[in-house]
Amino acid sequence: MLFFDGILWVAREIAEAARLEQEAEDGRLREQLRELYQRLEAGQITETAFDEQERVLLDRLDQLEGANAAEEPSDEEAQDEGDDQDEGEDQDEEDQDDQDDDQDDDQDDDDQDDDDDQDSDAEDEDQSEQLTGA
């Protein structure tokens, strides 16, 4: 068991070091972009040179962000994984709610039938009284 804990610890340390390196590179690239914009505004480089250098920097940033997205599940993905585990429980609850609703509907139907029967009996009595003159 300790052997696996050690391997897990090493893997976590490597992952953390890689994450920190990516964050540092991200910061360096953003700083280079800022400097590139300043050089363009100051007239130190041409639009063409700016466009070429900017494209290279932005492509590298996209690669880093893509790598980060592939390594770490987003909040939505993490939530989806939790939802998948709860889905069976949710379905059971929905099924129980549907059964409860069906029982309530059946009870309402029975109550309505009883009311109809009582109304029908009362009408029959009224008609009998009218016919007998009582």
Side-chain angles (χ1 to χ4, degrees):
M1 182 70 149
L2 291 176
F3 176 75
F4 292 113
D5 289 340
I7 291 175
L8 186 57
W9 178 82
V10 169
R12 285 182 183 151
E13 290 297 311
I14 291 171
E16 179 65 12
R19 184 187 65 79
L20 291 173
E21 179 58 33
Q22 284 180 341
E23 286 179 3
E25 185 173 0
D26 182 83
R28 286 189 300 270
L29 290 170
R30 291 182 189 278
E31 179 62 24
Q32 289 175 355
L33 271 173
R34 187 184 61 75
E35 290 172 1
L36 188 62
Y37 283 109
Q38 287 178 344
R39 291 176 56 205
L40 176 67
E41 289 175 6
Q44 296 174 347
I45 60 172
T46 65
E47 289 269 342
T48 306
F50 170 82
D51 289 340
E52 290 174 10
Q53 292 177 27
E54 180 190 41
R55 185 174 352 103
V56 169
L57 293 171
L58 290 176
D59 286 347
R60 182 62 186 137
L61 275 172
D62 287 343
Q63 289 174 350
L64 282 175
E65 289 175 6
N68 287 339
E71 290 174 6
E72 297 177 9
S74 68
D75 291 340
E76 290 178 9
E77 290 173 346
Q79 180 65 33
D80 288 345
E81 289 175 9
D83 289 348
D84 291 345
Q85 293 172 354
D86 296 337
E87 192 171 302
E89 295 172 10
D90 291 344
Q91 185 63 40
D92 292 343
E93 290 174 12
E94 288 177 18
D95 292 345
Q96 183 62 41
D97 289 343
D98 289 344
Q99 289 175 355
D100 292 344
D101 289 344
D102 290 345
Q103 289 175 350
D104 290 344
D105 289 344
D106 291 345
Q107 183 62 39
D108 290 344
D109 289 345
D110 291 345
D111 292 345
Q112 183 63 38
D113 289 345
D114 291 345
D115 291 345
D116 290 345
D117 289 345
Q118 290 174 354
D119 290 344
S120 179
D121 291 344
E123 288 174 7
D124 289 346
E125 286 179 18
D126 288 343
Q127 288 176 352
S128 294
E129 289 176 3
Q130 288 176 354
L131 289 176
T132 58

